[in-house]
Amino acid sequence: LAPEPETLPESPAGRKRVSIREVARASGVAVSTVSRSLNDDPEVSEATREKVRAAALALGYRPSAAARGLARGRSGNVAVAITAPHTPVFLDPFYAEVLGGIEEVLEARDLHLLITSLKRGHDLVSLVNEGRADGLIVIGCELEEERLREIQALSPLVLVDRELPGFTSVSTDNRAGMARATRELIERGRRHLAFLTDDVSNPNFRARLEGFQDAIAAAGLDALAAPVQSVSPQEGGGDEGARRLLATGRPIDGIVGANDTTAVGAIRTLRAAGLRGPDDVAVIGFDGLAYATGPDWGLATMWVDKARMGREAARLLLEAIDEPAASPGRSLVVTTEWRPGRSI
Amino acid sequence: LAPEPETLPESPAGRKRVSIREVARASGVAVSTVSRSLNDDPEVSEATREKVRAAALALGYRPSAAARGLARGRSGNVAVAITAPHTPVFLDPFYAEVLGGIEEVLEARDLHLLITSLKRGHDLVSLVNEGRADGLIVIGCELEEERLREIQALSPLVLVDRELPGFTSVSTDNRAGMARATRELIERGRRHLAFLTDDVSNPNFRARLEGFQDAIAAAGLDALAAPVQSVSPQEGGGDEGARRLLATGRPIDGIVGANDTTAVGAIRTLRAAGLRGPDDVAVIGFDGLAYATGPDWGLATMWVDKARMGREAARLLLEAIDEPAASPGRSLVVTTEWRPGRSI
DNA sequence: CTGTTAGCGCTTTCAA
DNA sequence: TTGAAAGCGCTAACAG
């Protein structure tokens, strides 16, 4: 008997969804067979599969995410929390590229991206606790470790741009990378170096400072000749910090910025002060942001493959989701790359 | 009888979720009463509600999003699709601010943000069709109108930065705004103006061009004196376009960029050519991006309240979700604001 | 290879 | 004011 052409109640927005039962009826099989066919279960015969496929397509059937999620215990979503202090966090170009990498991998696995910029850490716990996402990627360092442990007890978790014992993470070789960059400066004959950072509470920046100091020590330079200037973590921090550096009156022929944004601020200040880089003062940064290494600033920097960080994080998370038995703690370090620029 | 302290099977990641039934047992009521209590149903007595609340809290209960979604027919998610041509779309600072505004409103309503950067429009149809989101916000102009109609038939939909008959949208006063900006230039004595755009296929840019022409005509200036230079929509398009403008040999004392990015490119080119702005050539843009109006460029521009666009879009979408009867077609125009800068 | 059926965890009539 | 029970749409045993 033919499927009765009942008039679908076409509501203002959204006509009635077609369920698996109607596909079953239309193709003359049981719902379980429809389910198997649509999920590529090898048990089902080719003929049946095709018949079901055709019916599903004809009816415009799409499985309900909620129903499937309930039955499978999986939402098909992955959550990403960005824990930057500024708003909107989406403006951060570093994280934007990481996000792009994450999305690339998720898309290939047909997973969806749930984003939260995380004001209150507790929401994150709810998020995973409600099963809205099958796993979580936390980008940045702003979230308390205790909160992270709480989350990890509930769901697969991967940290990005932050390394913490007991957690799976993807980060950069902050210390070694910054040592390398500083060495480049030293090899070019610079002797009076300064390190400029705008957020000493950030562990990545602290590691970079250590790298800077490693290189200073290895070169036998006087550590005192390398003042650390910490400025407020607001827009224009690098500018102000560099001004203070200059105000000390010490001789400075090289400035190492904890990141590109800070370094660009320094360049701006130097230019305003009539100093020419790199002749007078060479400047280097860290991150490899497009705007900083571009034609305007030509910043020399340690380039970070941000998209790759995102891809790796997503892969690690998917592994953790697929393999719930494995214990966390894999820490992947994406190495940085020296990118000389006009600023050096 | 006390709730038996069964040992929860603490799996590697995620101990067993506590369901509404355990809360019911612990508080000695039926599951339906738990549901009502937790959903602030006025029918339930204060005493019971409190008892249930306490039990739920003690057990760390959180409702399953999937189960609730299935029962209620609502996912609690809102999807945002960004349809920019470049990758990763998250890098676009305009959209980043819009996203921030959207998130702000969603967060207040405890809704979650599902993001897709949309390679293939058909995925979007699936997204709403699977009920993963209760509504959709599409930012940008890259998606075919037919696809949009298809989506609108399935789910509440709001367009951002694009106006289309029959769709609810939040956009800017491109034409009037650009006319205003151009007038500012003319009032400052500029007579030889050029319009610079990098993507003629974008309707927003076309509208801005019209606004430019409106002002030119109103001032009785010769339209021929206003060459339109369209350049490839890639990084550095403004630079190249401005170079071509200069190469024409025509006198030019003012350049109107279709957006800030293009305008900054023009400034860069002018500087490289040894021209000083605004003395030689004044430049204005459109969008009001922070980097363009900041200390480096000091671009004069029509500022767009991007966060507000996001907030309004979210509000309109929530209205549409709450009021499925209402027909779409509300078109909200966020007016732009003249922001003079050093470039003029 | 396919059909029957029992849930997944919650909401929501319908009774009491 | 509360309880019992019927789904929501799908998956996954378990039979056949």
Side-chain angles (χ1 to χ4, degrees):
Chain A
L1 65 171
E4 43 192 343
E6 0 170 358
T7 45
L8 300 172
E10 179 133 10
S11 57
R15 59 176 150 283
K16 194 166 173 357
R17 302 192 66 265
V18 7
S19 85
I20 198 174
R21 294 214 340 223
E22 347 216 357
V23 179
R25 210 178 320 155
S27 45
V29 300
V31 290
S32 55
T33 301
V34 174
S35 175
R36 290 191 196 101
S37 300
L38 265 27
N39 287 309
D40 287 317
D41 188 321
E43 306 246 303
V44 67
S45 80
E46 194 59 36
T48 317
R49 183 199 319 287
E50 278 318 315
K51 187 173 52 176
V52 170
R53 281 254 174 83
L57 193 63
L59 294 176
Y61 168 77
R62 291 262 75 201
S64 147
R68 176 175 277 184
L70 185 55
R72 292 219 270 231
R74 289 260 178 109
S75 67
N77 298 327
V78 161
V80 174
I82 309 183
T83 69
H86 46 279
T87 354
V89 294
F90 304 110
L91 271 179
D92 188 307
F94 189 101
Y95 296 156
E97 287 205 48
V98 174
L99 269 183
I102 292 174
E103 211 213 6
E104 194 184 320
V105 171
L106 295 189
E107 188 175 306
R109 291 265 307 243
D110 201 34
L111 289 168
H112 296 263
L113 183 58
L114 208 54
I115 288 199
T116 163
S117 71
L118 181 70
K119 305 299 181 314
R120 321 171 289 281
H122 205 70
D123 292 352
L124 267 191
V125 179
S126 300
L127 197 75
V128 299
N129 216 351
E130 292 174 0
R132 262 176 210 288
D134 306 328
L136 177 62
I137 295 177
V138 173
I139 310 181
C141 298
E142 301 290 314
L143 197 54
E144 313 90 313
E145 184 169 347
E146 193 203 319
R147 213 46 98 202
L148 290 174
R149 297 219 174 278
E150 201 175 343
I151 293 167
Q152 179 156 260
L154 297 169
S155 134
L157 169 67
V158 172
L159 269 34
V160 171
D161 209 27
R162 177 176 196 182
E163 221 178 321
L164 226 42
F167 291 90
T168 299
S169 67
V170 177
S171 48
T172 50
D173 59 341
N174 289 299
R175 184 165 181 165
M178 194 49 113
R180 162 73 194 285
T182 305
R183 229 177 295 128
E184 294 283 346
L185 219 43
I186 294 172
E187 281 168 9
R188 281 169 174 75
R190 307 292 164 161
R191 287 297 173 271
H192 306 286
L193 306 185
F195 187 83
L196 190 62
T197 183
D198 70 354
D199 183 4
V200 281
S201 70
N202 184 310
N204 293 321
F205 293 163
R206 278 205 302 274
R208 292 174 196 179
L209 168 58
E210 287 164 4
F212 170 75
Q213 291 167 329
D214 291 347
I216 293 281
L221 296 182
D222 189 355
L224 282 182
V228 174
Q229 191 71 38
S230 165
V231 304
S232 64
Q234 58 201 1
E235 194 86 31
D239 305 67
E240 173 59 17
R243 257 187 302 262
R244 287 198 237 149
L245 274 178
L246 294 181
T248 64
R250 303 180 188 230
I252 292 179
D253 58 6
I255 293 182
V256 178
N259 63 13
D260 284 352
T261 309
T262 307
V264 163
I267 295 181
R268 213 153 28 205
T269 289
L270 294 173
R271 285 190 186 170
L275 295 169
R276 287 160 317 158
D279 292 348
D280 297 321
V281 183
V283 178
I284 59 177
F286 203 106
D287 279 352
L289 301 184
Y291 97 94
T293 54
D296 302 327
W297 306 111
L299 184 67
T301 189
M302 289 305 291
W303 181 78
V304 178
D305 193 340
K306 301 161 278 294
R308 176 160 174 234
M309 290 182 74
R311 288 195 304 269
E312 299 287 9
R315 284 206 195 95
L316 286 172
L317 185 69
L318 295 186
E319 278 179 29
I321 291 176
D322 293 338
E323 198 89 50
S327 60
R330 292 192 51 188
S331 134
L332 181 67
V333 176
V334 172
T335 58
T336 53
E337 236 174 68
W338 170 243
R339 292 273 172 98
R342 291 197 319 275
S343 73
I344 191 171
Chain B
L1 61 172
E4 44 192 344
E6 1 169 358
T7 46
L8 300 171
E10 177 133 12
S11 57
R15 60 177 152 284
K16 194 164 175 355
R17 302 191 66 265
V18 7
S19 84
I20 200 175
R21 294 213 344 220
E22 348 217 356
V23 179
R25 211 179 317 157
S27 44
V29 299
V31 291
S32 54
T33 302
V34 174
S35 174
R36 286 193 276 255
S37 300
L38 266 27
N39 288 310
D40 288 317
D41 188 321
E43 306 248 301
V44 68
S45 79
E46 194 58 37
T48 316
R49 184 200 317 287
E50 278 318 314
K51 187 172 53 176
V52 170
R53 282 253 174 82
L57 194 63
L59 294 176
Y61 169 76
R62 291 261 77 199
S64 148
R68 177 173 278 184
L70 184 55
R72 292 220 269 231
R74 289 260 178 109
S75 68
N77 298 326
V78 161
V80 174
I82 310 183
T83 68
H86 47 279
T87 354
V89 293
F90 303 110
L91 271 179
D92 188 308
F94 189 101
Y95 297 155
E97 289 205 48
V98 174
L99 269 182
I102 292 174
E103 212 213 6
E104 195 183 319
V105 171
L106 294 190
E107 188 175 305
R109 290 266 307 244
D110 201 34
L111 288 168
H112 297 263
L113 182 59
L114 209 55
I115 289 198
T116 163
S117 71
L118 180 72
K119 306 297 182 313
R120 321 172 289 281
H122 204 70
D123 292 352
L124 268 191
V125 180
S126 300
L127 197 74
V128 299
N129 217 350
E130 292 174 0
R132 261 175 211 287
D134 306 327
L136 177 62
I137 295 177
V138 173
I139 310 180
C141 298
E142 301 290 314
L143 198 54
E144 313 91 314
E145 184 169 347
E146 192 203 320
R147 214 45 99 202
L148 290 175
R149 297 218 173 278
E150 201 174 344
I151 292 167
Q152 179 156 260
L154 297 168
S155 137
L157 169 67
V158 172
L159 269 33
V160 172
D161 208 28
R162 178 176 195 182
E163 220 179 321
L164 227 43
F167 291 89
T168 298
S169 67
V170 178
S171 48
T172 50
D173 58 340
N174 289 299
R175 184 163 180 167
M178 194 51 114
R180 161 75 195 281
T182 306
R183 229 178 295 130
E184 294 283 344
L185 218 45
I186 295 172
E187 280 167 11
R188 282 169 173 74
R190 307 291 163 161
R191 289 295 172 273
H192 306 285
L193 306 185
F195 187 83
L196 190 62
T197 183
D198 70 355
D199 183 3
V200 281
S201 70
N202 185 311
N204 293 322
F205 293 163
R206 278 205 303 273
R208 292 176 195 179
L209 168 59
E210 286 164 7
F212 169 77
Q213 291 168 330
D214 291 345
I216 293 281
L221 296 183
D222 189 357
L224 282 183
V228 174
Q229 191 71 39
S230 164
V231 304
S232 64
Q234 59 202 359
E235 193 86 32
D239 305 66
E240 173 59 17
R243 256 188 302 263
R244 287 198 237 149
L245 274 178
L246 294 182
T248 63
R250 303 183 188 229
I252 291 180
D253 58 7
I255 293 182
V256 177
N259 63 12
D260 285 352
T261 309
T262 308
V264 163
I267 295 182
R268 213 154 27 207
T269 289
L270 293 174
R271 284 190 188 171
L275 296 170
R276 285 159 318 157
D279 293 348
D280 296 322
V281 183
V283 178
I284 60 178
F286 202 106
D287 279 351
L289 301 184
Y291 97 94
T293 55
D296 302 326
W297 307 109
L299 184 67
T301 190
M302 289 306 290
W303 181 78
V304 179
D305 193 341
K306 300 161 280 292
R308 173 157 177 238
M309 290 181 74
R311 287 195 303 270
E312 299 287 9
R315 285 205 196 96
L316 285 173
L317 186 69
L318 296 187
E319 277 179 31
I321 292 176
D322 293 339
E323 199 88 50
S327 61
R330 294 192 48 188
S331 135
L332 181 66
V333 175
V334 172
T335 57
T336 52
E337 236 173 69
W338 171 245
R339 293 273 171 99
R342 292 197 318 274
S343 73
I344 191 172

